Amino acid sequence: MKHDQLLALEAIVSTGTFRGAADRLHKSQSAISHTIRQLEEELELELFSRAAYRPSLTPAGEIFYREASKVLRQMQGLRTTAARLRAREEPELNIAVSATLDLDPLLTALSDTGRRHPATHLRLRMEMMGGPIARLMEGKADIALASLDGVPLDDVEAEPVAEVTIRPVASPDLNVPASSRAISASKMQSYVQVVAAGTGGAAHDQSRDLLPGGLKWTVSDLAAKKKVILAGLGWGGLPDHMTKDERRLGDLLSLNLESFPIRRTMIFKMRRRDQPPGVVASELWDKIGTAEQA
């Protein structure tokens, strides 16, 4: 039994076809078929049923595949360990962070890492919507801090680090009617909803909590969004840590909206499984803590 045989098995199951496995592993379809046939002969088991158009695992194949997946993960872990042992300090480290996250708890980790590794250039990118995970999967970020929305969990290691609360707010100057009951979407349609553009591509633009048929302005970032809302030009959702003082002073009001409830989102630190982290990335990963956001 060889590593390339297990990789071929995993690729067929993941892609659903021998052709898909061949494309993923950059081999011919006949080579993939031969590799699996050799494995089946060695095991004296039929792993795939080939009666249908797409190959499907036999009952024995299902059991074998589960165990093979564990072995492949262990081998990837060994490679990661070996890479860490070989690694030197990276010349550059890129961190992509959701703009909704309060940076204050992260600054200590960044400061400590920068002080211990002054030769490494730290690049911090504030991203909107699916931006952090897009940068991670593009290879433009070593660590991402964001929610798990749209994250390919088979390809990414993720650990929770913080919780962010997003609530709809408006300036008193907007004159949204006060009500003990939740305001309906139809009543809010005459007020401009301010949204921030995503940085992860069109697939990651805001879709949740958008009022259907309502007026909308789009801005580039949360700082601009907050200024527009404070100016009384519209309303929108902002992280609690950005509006705490303004809500306390009455410059911003929390809105009770039928179509936009207060949302609490867990933020995770993430890194790709297929790219062994360097020395500095590993140290920063360990330092990023679990402090909750306000």
Side-chain angles (χ1 to χ4, degrees), residues 12 16 22 45 50 55 63 66 95 110 134 140 149 155 157 159 173 180 185 188 192 203 245 249-250 254 271:
I12 294 168
L45 290 172
R50 297 165 175 85
I63 296 172
R66 285 199 297 270
I95 308 101
L110 290 172
K140 296 179 180 178
D149 292 343
D155 303 323
E157 179 183 355
E159 295 181 13
D173 295 337
S180 58
M188 291 300 298
V192 171
D245 290 341
L249 296 172
S254 180
R271 58 186 177 187

Side-chain angles (χ1 to χ4, degrees), residues 19-261:
R19 166 55 60 191
D23 291 342
R24 172 180 287 191
L25 298 177
H26 307 292
K27 294 184 177 181
S28 68
Q29 185 172 339
S30 59
I32 295 296
S33 298
H34 179 67
T35 297
I36 293 301
R37 181 60 66 189
Q38 282 186 319
L39 179 60
E40 289 178 322
E41 290 174 355
E42 180 183 345
L43 299 173
E44 298 182 359
L45 290 172
E46 186 178 33
L47 300 176
F48 288 100
S49 171
R50 297 165 175 85
Y53 172 72
R54 287 179 175 269
S56 59
L57 288 168
T58 63
E62 291 273 5
I63 296 172
F64 183 81
Y65 173 68
R66 285 199 297 270
E67 297 304 314
S69 297
K70 297 177 185 177
V71 172
L72 287 171
R73 287 195 295 270
Q74 289 171 346
M75 294 188 74
Q76 179 62 49
L78 288 174
R79 285 194 173 89
T80 298
T81 299
R84 289 174 179 169
L85 293 173
R86 294 193 307 268
R88 297 180 180 179
E89 293 186 2
E90 307 93 296
E92 184 173 283
L93 182 63
N94 291 275
I95 308 101
V97 183
S98 169
T100 61
L101 184 68
D102 185 359
L103 277 182
D104 285 351
L106 182 61
L107 295 180
T108 299
L110 290 172
S111 174
D112 290 346
T113 302
R115 185 168 55 252
R116 284 177 51 82
H117 304 281
T120 296
H121 183 182
L122 296 180
R123 290 185 180 271
L124 186 67
R125 304 173 58 131
M126 303 305 293
E127 302 275 355
M128 291 298 302
M129 306 303 172
I133 190 61
R135 303 295 87 78
L136 184 68
M137 301 314 294
E138 291 166 356
K140 296 179 180 178
D142 302 286
I143 297 173
L145 293 170
S147 75
L148 292 183
D149 292 343
V151 174
L153 292 176
D154 288 342
D155 303 323
V156 170
E157 179 183 355
E159 295 181 13
V161 296
E163 185 180 74
V164 171
T165 298
I166 306 290
R167 77 174 65 230
V169 293
S171 165
D173 295 337
L174 192 62
N175 294 319
V176 175
S179 174
S180 58
R181 300 179 61 184
I183 305 172
S184 67
S186 61
K187 289 184 177 179
M188 291 300 298
Q189 286 180 346
S190 60
Y191 299 94
V192 171
Q193 181 176 4
V194 187
V195 299
T199 58
H204 296 284
D205 281 342
Q206 182 174 339
S207 58
R208 188 172 64 179
D209 297 326
L210 283 178
L211 263 62
L215 303 174
K216 184 175 72 172
W217 286 10
T218 300
V219 296
S220 62
D221 53 57
L222 292 185
K225 182 176 182 178
K226 180 179 177 180
K227 282 185 176 293
V228 171
I229 294 173
L230 276 170
L233 302 179
W235 67 274
L238 285 171
D240 270 3
H241 70 85
M242 288 186 68
T243 65
K244 183 178 180 180
D245 290 341
E246 289 80 4
R247 285 184 287 115
R248 178 175 55 82
L249 296 172
D251 295 328
L252 287 176
L253 305 176
S254 180
L255 300 179
N256 181 14
L257 303 184
E258 188 177 85
S259 55
F260 194 147

